[in-house]
């Protein structure tokens, strides 16, 4: 059973991460869920909305749990060089990576109930030699993703209101997506999704709706062969493995409210196919959940927003939703 607060990594300190972490604590301090910020204390202290005396350095999750109602607890892992709001720098990359590694280590040991990550920017990390497409893939490497029913994460899920979507391919150029799809990848994503719906969301008999890749789901091969040659065989394989999977459906008909009532998660083939409906449904409150890991991990469904960093106008809605969902999933796993 995982105990203790959540670990919340600061993300890119030049973005809105410090500001929304401070604002999330202000909203949740009286009710919880409790969390411990993992990052640079000074970045949080200088964030818009921060108040002197409302931050406290801590050294353990237990200390953070006790302090949470009175002050934002911070496991201080300082930056090596100053950072200016709105100006990402490769010099911060080592610290950003250290914050993620530290939080994951705490979760793997059971010292925290899960990990919530504020947004990172890929470009400055790549400049410093980071070799992963993003948070999701890095977390998979750090946790050596656990295997469930023969399936393996990490799989990205986005949630908003009553909609959950998972992705077969994630941060890939659209021109490469068709060539990257395979029966094995779709089946793996479907199995991980079904397992997570049962274990993390409490849905005993999950239903998956599988999207096609092409317009009109390929028109029986008339507008592309991927549905016939890859997606339909994958759906049959999922059914043979006991997963209630249906489709492939044209993506432009899957997301209106009457259709959403027919499934518990939509399995999508590429990034924008999944994220556009989520952000149309709830732009401010969407949450990113990483499935198929031995730890709980969520994050806000937005980026670093360098253009508004330091101005005091960033909204913490998505981060607060991510904190609450991480807490809910952690409690279900513990039960």
């Amino acid at each position: 059973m995982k105990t203790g607060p959540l670990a919340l990594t600061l993300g890119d300190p030049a973005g809105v991460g410090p500001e929304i972490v401070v604002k999330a604590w202000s909203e949740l301090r009286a009710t919880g869920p409790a969390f411990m910020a993992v990052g640079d204390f000074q970045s949080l202290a200088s964030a818009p909305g921060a108040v002197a005396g409302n931050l406290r350095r801590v050294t353990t999750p237990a200390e953070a749990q006790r302090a949470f109602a009175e002050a934002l607890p911070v496991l201080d892992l300082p930056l090596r060089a100053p950072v200016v709001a709105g100006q990402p720098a490769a010099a911060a990359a080592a610290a950003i990576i250290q914050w993620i590694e530290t939080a994951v280590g705490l979760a793997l040991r059971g010292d925290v109930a899960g990990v919530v990550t504020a947004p990172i920017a890929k470009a400055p990390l790549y400049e410093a030699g980071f070799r992963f497409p993003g948070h999701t893939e890095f977390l998979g490497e750090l946790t050596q993703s656990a295997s469930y029913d023969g399936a393996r994460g990490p799989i990205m899920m986005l949630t908003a209101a009553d909609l959950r979507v998972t992705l077969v391919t994630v941060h890939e150029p659209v021109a490469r997506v068709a060539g990257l799809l395979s029966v094995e990848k779709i089946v793996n994503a479907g199995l991980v999704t079904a397992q997570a719906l049962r274990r993390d969301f409490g849905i005993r008999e999950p239903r998956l709706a599988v999207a096609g890749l092409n317009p009109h789901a390929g028109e029986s091969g008339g507008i592309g062969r991927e549905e016939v040659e890859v997606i339909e065989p994958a759906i049959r394989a999922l059914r043979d493995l006991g997963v209630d999977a249906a489709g492939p459906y044209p993506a432009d008909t899957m997301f209106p409210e009457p259709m959403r009532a027919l499934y518990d998660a939509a399995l999508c083939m590429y990034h924008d196919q999944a994220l556009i409906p989520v952000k149309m449904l709830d732009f401010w409150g969407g949450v990113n959940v990483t499935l198929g890991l031995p730890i709980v991990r969520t994050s806000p469904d937005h980026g670093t927003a360098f253009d508004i960093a330091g101005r005091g106008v960033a909204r913490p809605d998505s981060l607060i939703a991510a904190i609450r969902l991480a807490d809910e999933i952690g409690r279900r796993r513990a039960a």
Side-chain angles (χ1 to χ4, degrees):
M1 175 178 176
K2 307 298 184 185
T3 58
L6 298 163
L8 200 171
T9 60
L10 193 57
D12 194 310
V16 295
E19 177 180 345
I20 61 175
V21 170
V22 168
K23 289 179 175 178
W25 173 78
S26 295
E27 180 158 334
L28 297 173
R29 60 182 298 188
T31 61
F35 62 84
M36 172 180 69
V38 179
D40 178 57
F41 183 92
Q42 189 55 46
S43 293
L44 286 161
S46 59
V51 176
N54 277 2
L55 286 86
R56 184 177 304 172
R57 288 181 175 88
V58 297
T59 58
T60 67
E63 187 182 353
Q65 186 88 47
R66 293 190 297 269
F68 186 77
E70 299 176 359
L72 170 57
V74 184
L75 182 63
D76 186 21
L77 301 174
L79 289 162
R80 299 175 186 176
V83 167
V84 178
Q87 299 180 26
I96 295 168
I97 293 167
Q98 181 192 19
W99 301 338
I100 300 168
E101 292 172 336
T102 300
V104 169
L106 290 168
L108 287 172
R109 290 195 299 271
D111 296 333
V112 296
V115 175
V116 182
T117 59
I120 59 174
K122 315 295 192 302
L125 293 180
Y126 295 158
E127 187 179 338
F130 188 69
R131 61 184 180 86
F132 299 92
H135 254 135
T136 299
E137 297 82 2
F138 187 38
L139 290 163
E141 176 73 14
L142 291 176
T143 59
Q144 296 295 308
S145 304
S147 178
Y148 305 115
D149 297 336
R152 182 172 295 276
I155 297 295
M156 181 184 287
M157 171 183 278
L158 287 303
T159 71
D162 64 343
L163 176 62
R164 304 179 191 91
V165 297
T166 54
L167 289 80
V168 178
T169 67
V170 185
H171 299 114
E172 301 291 351
V174 173
R176 295 186 59 203
V177 169
L180 292 171
L181 294 179
S182 68
V183 172
E184 292 76 16
K185 285 183 179 178
I186 296 170
V187 169
N188 182 73
L191 287 173
V192 172
T193 301
Q195 173 70 17
L197 289 171
R198 287 191 292 268
R199 186 177 71 154
D200 296 340
F201 292 87
I203 299 170
R204 296 183 61 182
E205 297 181 358
R207 304 160 299 166
L208 302 186
V210 182
L213 174 68
N214 297 296
H216 305 177
E219 289 276 17
S220 300
I223 313 178
R225 299 288 300 173
E226 287 80 10
E227 285 77 9
V228 174
E229 296 174 0
V230 181
I231 302 174
E232 290 176 9
I235 293 170
R236 291 194 294 269
L238 283 167
R239 290 175 183 157
D240 289 343
L241 291 167
V243 176
D244 183 356
Y249 295 114
D252 62 348
T253 66
M254 286 180 62
F255 301 108
E257 185 175 0
M259 280 295 292
R260 298 200 304 270
L262 303 179
Y263 58 82
D264 300 299
L267 184 58
C268 298
M269 297 300 114
Y270 60 95
H271 186 277
D272 285 9
Q273 188 182 63
L275 270 69
I276 288 173
V278 166
K279 294 188 177 183
M280 288 290 291
L281 187 63
D282 187 358
F283 183 79
W284 298 110
V287 177
N288 179 351
V289 189
T290 306
L291 310 182
L293 299 182
I295 65 170
V296 176
R297 183 266 177 153
T298 66
S299 72
D301 181 25
H302 62 70
T304 50
F306 292 125
D307 58 323
I308 62 170
R311 292 169 48 191
V313 297
R315 292 179 54 160
D317 309 48
S318 186
L319 179 60
I320 291 169
I323 293 167
R324 287 174 170 157
L325 183 56
D327 179 66
E328 291 172 13
I329 293 174
R331 291 178 185 276
R332 286 195 185 97
R333 290 195 184 187

